[in-house]
């Protein structure tokens, strides 16, 4: 239990570093492939949970589209959505885990992509989740 708390504290600090290092960042969420929030920064719990749930469907949809490419392994690496008012980024971040960022318009897209990749490389092993079997983690 102490190990899990320490990992969560480290992730919270690193998510804060991403959010404060890229101007116009609103929310940062780490989620499992099945849409469960693992860590968050800049969002209340309800908002982070809604983003995580939406991301589960989005990563599944992106994977289905990727499987239509002849040489694709069907895995989603990055999804970017531009909306009125801002951008949404979803990046694969380890086995069964994803990093999601909601940012205001005016965000530097190149900087965001670079900082997200750097974060995934730094803490990817902490962001991986074991597969679930019959409602329990393996």
């Amino acid at each position: 239990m102490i190990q899990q708390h320490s990992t969560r504290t480290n992730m919270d600090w690193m998510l804060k570093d991403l959010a404060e290092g890229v101007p116009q960042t609103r929310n940062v969420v780490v989620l499992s492939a099945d849409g469960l929030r693992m860590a968050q920064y800049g969002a209340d719990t309800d908002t982070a949970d809604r983003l995580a749930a939406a991301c589960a469907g989005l990563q599944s949809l992106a994977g289905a589209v990727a499987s239509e490419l002849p040489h694709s392994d069907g895995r989603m690496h990055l999804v970017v959505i531009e909306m009125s008012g801002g951008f949404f980024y979803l990046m694969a971040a380890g086995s069964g885990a994803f990093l999601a960022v909601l940012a205001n318009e005016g965000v530097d897209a190149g900087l965001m992509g670079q900082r997200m990749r750097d974060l995934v490389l730094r803490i990817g092993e902490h962001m991986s989740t074991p597969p679930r079997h019959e409602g329990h983690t393996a």
Side-chain angles (χ1 to χ4, degrees):
M1 192 68 142
I2 293 173
Q3 177 70 25
Q4 182 180 12
H5 177 71
S6 174
T7 299
R8 166 70 51 94
T9 301
N10 278 341
M11 281 205 312
D12 289 347
W13 176 81
M14 291 183 199
L15 299 182
K16 179 181 179 184
D17 187 47
L18 171 66
E20 293 180 353
V22 182
Q24 303 298 322
T25 301
R26 296 181 55 86
N27 305 325
V28 182
V29 178
V30 176
L31 61 132
S32 64
D34 54 358
L36 297 176
R37 172 186 44 84
M38 297 166 58
Q40 71 193 59
Y41 181 81
D44 60 70
T45 302
D46 289 341
T47 299
D49 285 343
R50 284 192 306 274
L51 284 172
C55 290
L58 185 57
Q59 63 87 17
S60 178
L61 177 62
V65 171
S67 69
E68 296 302 320
L69 294 169
H71 301 291
S72 174
D73 61 6
R75 293 184 296 162
M76 185 278 298
H77 298 283
L78 174 67
V79 172
V80 179
I81 301 173
E82 181 178 1
M83 305 159 282
S84 59
F87 293 87
F88 176 75
Y89 301 86
L90 180 63
M91 181 177 283
S95 177
F98 297 87
L99 174 63
V101 176
L102 194 59
N104 295 327
E105 59 187 351
V107 69
D108 182 330
L111 179 60
M112 179 62 77
Q114 176 186 4
R115 295 295 301 270
M116 288 178 72
R117 279 188 300 275
D118 291 348
L119 179 59
V120 166
L121 289 173
R122 281 180 20 214
I123 63 170
E125 67 274 2
H126 299 297
M127 296 166 77
S128 297
T129 58
R132 296 178 188 275
H133 299 286
E134 297 181 26
H136 304 291
T137 56

